[in-house]
Amino acid sequence: MKIDTIKVKVLLAQRNISVRQFCLENNLSYSTVIALLNNKRYGNSKTIERIANALGVNVIDILKM
């Protein structure tokens, strides 16, 4: 699955938080999240669900259609 990187980056910017800080606060792998945001890899459903939950949105809201 691919995430909509623009939506995720906008959500992070609205919270005024860096990707690194977001990952630290939510126990996510920085290298995985940054690879997803740079479209270098696909995410599995568990990882995308964890990112969505941490952002306070539904999974469908951050998936690229």
Side-chain angles (χ1 to χ4, degrees), residues 18-49:
S18 69
V19 176
R20 188 172 299 279
Q21 189 64 33
F22 172 75
C23 292
L24 286 172
E25 290 178 4
N26 294 289
N27 198 28
L28 295 162
S29 166
Y30 174 76
S31 60
T32 298
V33 173
I34 208 72
L36 289 168
L37 291 176
N38 290 326
N39 290 316
K40 302 234 181 231
R41 70 183 289 191
Y42 291 94
N44 65 40
S45 58
K46 182 179 176 185
T47 301
I48 293 175
E49 182 178 9

Side-chain angles (χ1 to χ4, degrees), residues 9-20:
K9 288 177 182 179
V10 166
L11 289 167
L12 291 172
Q14 288 173 342
R15 289 164 176 73
N16 197 30
I17 189 169
S18 69
V19 176
R20 188 172 299 279

